Amino acid sequence: SRGLVVSKRRSKGVVRFEGPRPCCRARDRSRGRLCRRLVSHRIARGTRSSISRRPLGIGGGTSGSNTSPLYGLGGSGGGGAGGSGASNGTNGTANTGGGGGGASDTTVNVVYTGGNGGSGVVIIKVPNTVVATFSAGVTSSVSTSVTGYNVYTVTATSTTSETVSFTNNTFLADYLVVAGGGGGAGENTALTDNGGGGGGAGGYQSFTSQGLVLGTAYTVTVGAGGSGGAAGSNNGSTGSNSVFTSVTSAGGGYGGKNVTAGGNGGSGGGGWFNGSGGSGNTPSTSPSQGNNGGSVGASTYGGGGGGGAGQVGVSTTSGNGGTGGNGSASTLSGTSVTYAGGGGGSGGSPSGT
């Protein structure tokens, strides 16, 4: 009805509607306003409200109408949103290292898959007197928008043996190495109203004023994102590592499903059904390359959010999916860009069916 205000308290199974009742037409003589009454409706525990909301996407965005139970949003920095109702998880954004979102299902034996993790990226900023030469299997571009510098962005490599060398004497460089994000979990075909964990973001490592040497062939690798879990209660896949010089950023951990715990990685994947989130910053680096994934409470069918470079994945003790952890921003390219956001966990009913 017009003027409806809704507040929702799932823990007590109450939905409260405040506003003028259609049948209430009497005027308050002292104020000349429509009489307002409060109506409370108790909803049996475990039933769904018809109320829905459509939040704005962050990073990887959303996957349509966010009906109860709510999916977890992807973390800023390319994290894909988890599914809600009957839907696949959203893919992480390419060349951000964002984790994929977990899949959700409302129908037995209908298949939905987790979102793929986003591929990684390597960015190298060198003085404009320095020219980079890449091996044949490297996909790259160069920008001169930062005054006094050449900024090379490597978006793909064909093998793990690709190289780059530089023409100039010894010089100082800044660089960013982001690994591929982990894939989100697939849904369980034997259950309805169940979710899965979001994939963890790829490891994020940034360096400034590092000495590089003329004529040396430095290894450069851009990690692919992990595949989303196939339907049938499958985990996602771990993302692949990215490498430059002696720096290796670890691929993001998978979203958990059939083993319930999220996978370890640059950032950890989200868990499912009493499962812990995966450990981030694995292997350990200093500063840390990522954060842990979100855990899930006992007999809880929502998925935990994948960890991001700047924040842990959100845990859940309800049917709602946990939000992916936010990534970290870099200005290496001349503008602020956020990378390595965790994938959102998908929504599932608190008790499953």
Side-chain angles (χ1 to χ4, degrees), residues 116-143:
N116 298 329
S119 55
V121 68
V122 173
I123 302 177
I124 309 164
K125 186 174 81 171
V126 298
N128 60 7
T129 55
V130 176
V131 177
T133 302
F134 295 94
S135 58
V138 176
T139 301
S140 66
S141 61
V142 62
S143 169

Short mmCIF file of all heavy atoms in Angstrom, two decimals, residues 116-143:
data_model
loop_
_atom_site.label_atom_id
_atom_site.label_comp_id
_atom_site.label_asym_id
_atom_site.label_seq_id
_atom_site.Cartn_x
_atom_site.Cartn_y
_atom_site.Cartn_z
N ASN A 116 33.20 -18.26 -12.29
CA ASN A 116 34.63 -18.37 -12.47
C ASN A 116 35.35 -17.21 -11.80
O ASN A 116 34.83 -16.09 -11.72
CB ASN A 116 34.99 -18.35 -13.96
CG ASN A 116 34.39 -19.51 -14.72
OD1 ASN A 116 34.21 -20.60 -14.17
ND2 ASN A 116 34.08 -19.29 -15.99
N GLY A 117 36.55 -17.47 -11.33
CA GLY A 117 37.37 -16.38 -10.80
C GLY A 117 37.90 -15.51 -11.93
O GLY A 117 38.08 -15.96 -13.06
N GLY A 118 38.13 -14.24 -11.64
CA GLY A 118 38.70 -13.32 -12.63
C GLY A 118 40.20 -13.56 -12.78
O GLY A 118 40.90 -13.90 -11.82
N SER A 119 40.71 -13.41 -13.99
CA SER A 119 42.14 -13.56 -14.22
C SER A 119 42.92 -12.46 -13.51
O SER A 119 42.38 -11.42 -13.13
CB SER A 119 42.44 -13.53 -15.72
OG SER A 119 41.91 -12.35 -16.32
N GLY A 120 44.21 -12.71 -13.34
CA GLY A 120 45.07 -11.74 -12.67
C GLY A 120 45.62 -10.69 -13.63
O GLY A 120 45.19 -10.57 -14.79
N VAL A 121 46.62 -9.96 -13.17
CA VAL A 121 47.24 -8.91 -13.99
C VAL A 121 48.62 -8.59 -13.41
O VAL A 121 48.84 -8.76 -12.20
CB VAL A 121 46.35 -7.64 -14.02
CG1 VAL A 121 46.32 -6.96 -12.65
CG2 VAL A 121 46.77 -6.67 -15.11
N VAL A 122 49.54 -8.16 -14.27
CA VAL A 122 50.84 -7.64 -13.85
C VAL A 122 51.01 -6.26 -14.47
O VAL A 122 50.85 -6.10 -15.68
CB VAL A 122 51.99 -8.57 -14.27
CG1 VAL A 122 53.34 -7.92 -13.96
CG2 VAL A 122 51.88 -9.93 -13.59
N ILE A 123 51.29 -5.26 -13.66
CA ILE A 123 51.49 -3.88 -14.13
C ILE A 123 52.90 -3.45 -13.74
O ILE A 123 53.31 -3.62 -12.58
CB ILE A 123 50.44 -2.93 -13.55
CG1 ILE A 123 49.03 -3.40 -13.93
CG2 ILE A 123 50.68 -1.51 -14.04
CD1 ILE A 123 47.92 -2.55 -13.34
N ILE A 124 53.63 -2.90 -14.70
CA ILE A 124 55.03 -2.50 -14.48
C ILE A 124 55.19 -1.04 -14.91
O ILE A 124 54.92 -0.70 -16.08
CB ILE A 124 55.99 -3.38 -15.30
CG1 ILE A 124 55.69 -4.87 -15.09
CG2 ILE A 124 57.44 -3.07 -14.95
CD1 ILE A 124 56.31 -5.77 -16.15
N LYS A 125 55.61 -0.19 -13.99
CA LYS A 125 55.84 1.23 -14.31
C LYS A 125 57.34 1.51 -14.30
O LYS A 125 58.00 1.31 -13.28
CB LYS A 125 55.11 2.14 -13.31
CG LYS A 125 55.19 3.61 -13.68
CD LYS A 125 54.35 4.48 -12.76
CE LYS A 125 55.07 4.77 -11.46
NZ LYS A 125 54.34 5.79 -10.64
N VAL A 126 57.84 1.98 -15.44
CA VAL A 126 59.28 2.24 -15.58
C VAL A 126 59.47 3.65 -16.14
O VAL A 126 58.55 4.23 -16.73
CB VAL A 126 59.93 1.21 -16.53
CG1 VAL A 126 59.79 -0.20 -15.96
CG2 VAL A 126 59.33 1.28 -17.93
N PRO A 127 60.67 4.25 -15.97
CA PRO A 127 60.91 5.57 -16.57
C PRO A 127 60.69 5.53 -18.09
O PRO A 127 60.86 4.49 -18.73
CB PRO A 127 62.39 5.83 -16.23
CG PRO A 127 62.64 5.01 -15.00
CD PRO A 127 61.81 3.78 -15.17
N ASN A 128 60.31 6.66 -18.66
CA ASN A 128 59.98 6.67 -20.09
C ASN A 128 61.20 6.53 -20.99
O ASN A 128 61.07 6.46 -22.22
CB ASN A 128 59.18 7.92 -20.46
CG ASN A 128 59.91 9.22 -20.18
OD1 ASN A 128 61.09 9.22 -19.82
ND2 ASN A 128 59.20 10.33 -20.34
N THR A 129 62.38 6.48 -20.40
CA THR A 129 63.60 6.18 -21.17
C THR A 129 63.83 4.67 -21.29
O THR A 129 64.75 4.24 -21.97
CB THR A 129 64.81 6.81 -20.48
OG1 THR A 129 64.88 6.37 -19.12
CG2 THR A 129 64.73 8.34 -20.49
N VAL A 130 63.00 3.89 -20.62
CA VAL A 130 63.12 2.43 -20.60
C VAL A 130 62.05 1.82 -21.50
O VAL A 130 60.88 2.19 -21.43
CB VAL A 130 62.99 1.89 -19.17
CG1 VAL A 130 63.02 0.36 -19.16
CG2 VAL A 130 64.08 2.45 -18.28
N VAL A 131 62.46 0.86 -22.33
CA VAL A 131 61.52 0.16 -23.21
C VAL A 131 61.53 -1.32 -22.85
O VAL A 131 62.59 -1.94 -22.70
CB VAL A 131 61.90 0.34 -24.70
CG1 VAL A 131 60.96 -0.47 -25.59
CG2 VAL A 131 61.86 1.81 -25.08
N ALA A 132 60.33 -1.91 -22.71
CA ALA A 132 60.20 -3.33 -22.39
C ALA A 132 60.03 -4.15 -23.66
O ALA A 132 59.34 -3.73 -24.59
CB ALA A 132 59.00 -3.55 -21.48
N THR A 133 60.67 -5.32 -23.68
CA THR A 133 60.51 -6.26 -24.78
C THR A 133 60.01 -7.59 -24.21
O THR A 133 60.67 -8.20 -23.37
CB THR A 133 61.84 -6.49 -25.51
OG1 THR A 133 62.34 -5.24 -26.01
CG2 THR A 133 61.65 -7.47 -26.68
N PHE A 134 58.83 -8.02 -24.67
CA PHE A 134 58.19 -9.23 -24.14
C PHE A 134 58.37 -10.39 -25.10
O PHE A 134 58.48 -10.21 -26.32
CB PHE A 134 56.70 -8.98 -23.92
CG PHE A 134 56.38 -7.96 -22.85
CD1 PHE A 134 56.16 -6.64 -23.19
CD2 PHE A 134 56.30 -8.34 -21.52
CE1 PHE A 134 55.87 -5.69 -22.21
CE2 PHE A 134 56.00 -7.41 -20.54
CZ PHE A 134 55.79 -6.08 -20.88
N SER A 135 58.36 -11.60 -24.55
CA SER A 135 58.39 -12.80 -25.38
C SER A 135 57.05 -12.94 -26.12
O SER A 135 56.06 -12.27 -25.81
CB SER A 135 58.69 -14.03 -24.54
OG SER A 135 57.72 -14.19 -23.51
N ALA A 136 57.02 -13.86 -27.10
CA ALA A 136 55.91 -13.94 -28.05
C ALA A 136 54.58 -14.27 -27.40
O ALA A 136 53.51 -13.90 -27.92
CB ALA A 136 56.23 -14.96 -29.13
N GLY A 137 54.57 -14.97 -26.27
CA GLY A 137 53.33 -15.41 -25.67
C GLY A 137 52.71 -14.44 -24.69
O GLY A 137 51.79 -14.81 -23.93
N VAL A 138 53.14 -13.18 -24.70
CA VAL A 138 52.65 -12.18 -23.74
C VAL A 138 51.67 -11.23 -24.43
O VAL A 138 51.95 -10.72 -25.52
CB VAL A 138 53.82 -11.37 -23.14
CG1 VAL A 138 53.29 -10.26 -22.23
CG2 VAL A 138 54.76 -12.28 -22.37
N THR A 139 50.54 -10.99 -23.80
CA THR A 139 49.58 -9.97 -24.25
C THR A 139 49.72 -8.76 -23.33
O THR A 139 49.51 -8.87 -22.12
CB THR A 139 48.14 -10.51 -24.19
OG1 THR A 139 48.03 -11.66 -25.00
CG2 THR A 139 47.16 -9.45 -24.67
N SER A 140 50.09 -7.62 -23.91
CA SER A 140 50.37 -6.44 -23.07
C SER A 140 50.01 -5.17 -23.82
O SER A 140 49.79 -5.17 -25.03
CB SER A 140 51.85 -6.39 -22.67
OG SER A 140 52.66 -6.17 -23.83
N SER A 141 49.96 -4.08 -23.08
CA SER A 141 49.76 -2.75 -23.65
C SER A 141 50.62 -1.78 -22.86
O SER A 141 51.07 -2.08 -21.75
CB SER A 141 48.28 -2.34 -23.56
OG SER A 141 47.85 -2.29 -22.21
N VAL A 142 50.87 -0.60 -23.45
CA VAL A 142 51.68 0.41 -22.76
C VAL A 142 50.94 1.74 -22.77
O VAL A 142 50.26 2.09 -23.74
CB VAL A 142 53.07 0.55 -23.43
CG1 VAL A 142 52.95 1.01 -24.88
CG2 VAL A 142 53.97 1.51 -22.63
N SER A 143 51.04 2.45 -21.66
CA SER A 143 50.43 3.77 -21.53
C SER A 143 51.50 4.78 -21.13
O SER A 143 52.40 4.48 -20.34
CB SER A 143 49.34 3.74 -20.46
OG SER A 143 48.90 5.05 -20.13
#
